[in-house]
Amino acid sequence: MPKKPSLTELRQRYLAGSSSAPAGLVVSLEADGRAGAQALARALKARQAGNRAEGQRLRHMLKFENELWAQGVARVAGVDEAGAGPCAGPVVAGAAILPLGYKLRGLDDSKKILDETTRDELAEAIKRDAVAWAVGWSHHDEIDAVNIYQAGLLAMRRAVEALAVAPDYLLVDARRVPGVPQPQRGIIKGDAQSLSIAAGAILAKTTRDRHMNALGREHPQYGFERHKGYPTSEHLAAMKAHGVLPFHRKTWGPVRRALGLEPTQAELFAPAPAARHR
């Protein structure tokens, strides 16, 4: 007769490990009078409830993809960009074609995932599992030449065109990508509603963050690895003390002020910006 596993072994297997608890285990633990068994039963029930909630969230975030997959549209690319708000560095777009029915635990709107390590782990999983993925860039000089909105669209188009497998359809965060032949749909707050768009957003953000971290190592007095180019008080003080770098966006108000230049016409008549949180 096989030896009955201890509570320690059960915790290791079903809480610390990735195995799913077999049917009836929680019931048998609840019938066990030991305090440790009762605590393990409660922990397993909480984990099961969390798994159910995560499964429901992921199914909800595949609603747009499922509609297209049901119509036979197999290669759906999610597209999003990162870096519209900073006053230094590029804007980067990501595009990802996920396998049919794909669910990645924890994949969500990148703004909700505050831990950089978690975002990096999700990005690696997307790169490993995706049918195809790519990123596209638009650098500071293009941003200054055409404005940030158009530069973001340009980065998106480059990401779509760089995919090794051509998509059949695009799901895009809040806009439409110009200059591509695929049919597409813009979804407001798409990175919180579509798993494919969320995947594109994670690729864009992690790629850009790594680039800004590298700039931080090259220019340690500016702190790019901390603020990622956003006009924080640290960044503004660094520009004032050390000057403007080549990859700062020269049409942006904080950079123009650091250069001693007059504001642009758009800035003169723009309403005061609302406070934002990174």
Side-chain angles (χ1 to χ4, degrees):
M1 182 176 180
K3 180 183 175 182
K4 186 177 180 180
S6 67
L7 293 178
T8 299
E9 290 170 328
L10 291 173
R11 284 191 202 92
Q12 185 65 32
R13 189 179 305 166
Y14 301 121
L15 284 181
S18 58
S19 299
S20 299
L25 177 59
V26 171
V27 173
S28 79
L29 288 169
E30 288 178 326
D32 189 320
R34 291 174 295 171
Q38 297 292 314
L40 180 56
R42 289 192 296 271
L44 287 172
K45 288 175 74 173
R47 178 168 181 170
Q48 290 170 347
N51 287 340
R52 287 194 296 272
E54 177 66 358
Q56 290 170 356
R57 185 189 70 82
L58 292 172
R59 284 193 295 275
H60 176 74
M61 287 190 70
L62 281 176
K63 60 183 180 295
F64 296 105
E65 289 87 344
N66 280 327
E67 289 176 6
L68 292 164
W69 291 336
Q71 298 167 25
V73 181
R75 297 188 296 272
V76 179
V79 188
D80 199 2
E81 52 82 19
C87 60
V91 60
V92 179
I97 303 174
L98 301 181
L100 271 66
Y102 180 75
K103 299 182 181 74
L104 176 59
R105 185 180 181 89
L107 180 55
D108 202 349
D109 176 354
S110 63
K111 294 182 291 297
K112 296 179 182 177
I113 304 170
L114 303 180
D115 178 55
E116 192 166 336
T117 300
T118 300
R119 290 196 299 268
D120 286 340
E121 291 172 350
L122 289 169
E124 290 309 307
I126 293 163
K127 293 174 183 178
R128 179 190 68 231
D129 299 337
V131 174
W133 67 272
V135 294
W137 301 63
S138 184
H139 289 279
H140 60 281
D141 51 351
E142 288 181 318
I143 293 169
D144 286 336
V146 301
N147 74 45
I148 185 59
Y149 183 80
Q150 294 300 326
L153 293 177
L154 183 58
M156 286 182 170
R157 192 188 79 198
R158 288 169 175 165
V160 171
E161 291 175 344
L163 288 166
V165 177
D168 300 316
Y169 197 97
L170 307 181
L171 296 175
V172 188
D173 184 40
R175 62 187 87 179
R176 296 174 67 85
V177 181
V180 296
Q182 289 87 359
Q184 54 186 297
R185 178 175 183 174
I187 302 170
I188 302 298
K189 297 183 179 178
D191 51 354
Q193 299 198 65
S194 160
L195 215 60
S196 299
I197 296 176
I202 287 286
L203 293 172
K205 179 160 181 57
T206 53
T207 299
R208 188 182 189 279
D209 281 357
R210 282 194 295 273
H211 177 73
M212 299 309 293
N213 291 346
L215 292 179
R217 291 189 292 272
E218 294 174 17
H219 307 278
Q221 66 271 41
Y222 287 83
F224 289 112
E225 72 280 8
R226 290 184 291 276
H227 54 68
K228 304 298 190 281
Y230 281 90
T232 63
S233 57
E234 177 189 12
H235 190 186
L236 297 179
M239 281 194 289
K240 183 176 181 180
H242 306 293
V244 169
L245 294 167
F247 50 82
H248 276 105
R249 302 174 184 177
K250 306 304 188 294
T251 54
W252 289 57
V255 180
R256 292 182 68 81
R257 287 190 287 275
L259 289 168
L261 298 175
E262 292 294 322
T264 64
Q265 286 295 108
E267 287 181 290
L268 284 172
F269 297 101
R276 70 179 306 281
H277 299 279
R278 290 197 304 116

